[in-house]
Amino acid sequence: MAINLQKGQKIDLTKGGRGLTGVMVGLGWDEVQKPQSGGLFGMFKAQQPQDIDCDASAILLGANGRIYGNKAEDFLVYYGNLSHWSGAIVHMGDNLTGGGDGDDEQIMVDLTRIPSDVARVVFVVNIYDANVRGQHFGMIQNAFIRLVDLNNGQEICRFNLSDNYYGMSGLVVAEIYRYNGEWKFNAIGQPVQEASRVDNMVGLYI
């Protein structure tokens, strides 16, 4: 049975001989319902705001808490670099609107192939062009991250992000990290005010 996590809660993923070798990290969100407004006597419809384009990414960190390697391909998996060179992390593609039920973006993680000097994989979401479009996470609802065991398809845990993130355009959602040779999961939910590009999220770890 899946565990529902609270902000700051940690769980073991591999300790105790679970045989867990890979997880699907699913991230989802919905836009708050847009108001439907018309012009004079409803004859003219006001121009509708742009869809909110949330982008999920994985950032790889070394033991010092800083980005891993020397170039973006070493430490960042996102819509512009869908697969890490190790084959350990694969992004399944960009969702431009957040429409539909279930996961909006998925990232596959093979725990056995993560380079041994990678200590953490941090999962972040930012709103693309938020500063230009005047968008923020106060316009998003039902955001979550969940982990699914790739061996049997069973959901391991889920973290629903229920805090008020008004005015924030980025979120450090959660992380998978090594501890005493085992992998753990940490539900973070940390907001970032300016994150109109994934570079802003990476900058937290430089």
Side-chain angles (χ1 to χ4, degrees):
M1 184 174 181
I3 302 170
N4 289 314
L5 299 177
Q6 302 298 315
K7 185 175 181 177
Q9 190 173 357
K10 303 174 176 65
I11 63 167
D12 292 314
L13 294 179
T14 58
K15 189 175 180 180
R18 292 186 182 183
L20 185 70
T21 58
V23 293
M24 185 278 288
V25 180
L27 299 108
W29 52 81
D30 296 313
E31 276 190 58
V32 173
Q33 186 67 36
K34 297 173 183 176
Q36 298 295 320
S37 59
L40 184 63
F41 305 114
M43 295 176 62
F44 305 101
K45 289 187 177 180
Q47 183 176 1
Q48 294 300 303
Q50 291 177 283
D51 289 324
I52 300 177
D53 181 8
C54 292
D55 294 323
S57 308
I59 303 173
L60 285 72
L61 307 179
N64 61 357
R66 303 298 181 183
I67 53 175
Y68 169 78
N70 299 312
K71 55 186 185 298
E73 291 80 3
D74 292 331
F75 59 77
L76 182 61
V77 178
Y78 72 122
Y79 66 86
N81 178 44
L82 293 176
S83 180
H84 191 258
W85 54 258
S86 66
I89 302 172
V90 178
H91 194 303
M92 303 307 290
D94 192 16
N95 182 321
L96 299 177
T97 67
D101 296 329
D103 303 328
D104 290 304
E105 295 191 10
Q106 295 180 339
I107 299 174
M108 306 298 175
V109 180
D110 184 340
L111 298 172
T112 68
R113 299 178 70 177
I114 295 176
S116 60
D117 47 352
V118 171
R120 297 176 181 269
V121 181
V122 182
F123 301 97
V124 302
V125 179
N126 70 294
I127 299 176
Y128 182 79
D129 262 359
N131 54 354
V132 175
R133 301 178 180 183
Q135 297 172 340
H136 55 82
F137 274 99
M139 301 173 176
I140 295 293
Q141 61 185 356
N142 305 324
F144 67 86
I145 183 171
R146 68 188 189 111
L147 263 58
V148 174
D149 186 339
L150 287 178
N151 291 331
N152 58 24
Q154 297 296 310
E155 184 172 294
I156 301 167
C157 63
R158 177 182 291 256
F159 170 39
N160 294 311
L161 290 89
S162 56
D163 286 359
N164 181 1
Y165 296 116
Y166 185 92
M168 304 296 167
S169 57
L171 288 174
V172 180
V173 182
E175 66 180 358
I176 293 172
Y177 67 99
R178 294 185 200 264
Y179 182 77
N180 289 338
E182 303 289 350
W183 287 103
K184 291 177 175 282
F185 178 80
N186 178 23
I188 300 175
Q190 173 191 338
V192 178
Q193 186 167 10
E194 171 45 39
S196 296
R197 291 289 190 275
V198 69
D199 292 353
N200 301 119
M201 306 302 292
V202 170
L204 299 173
Y205 305 102
I206 294 177

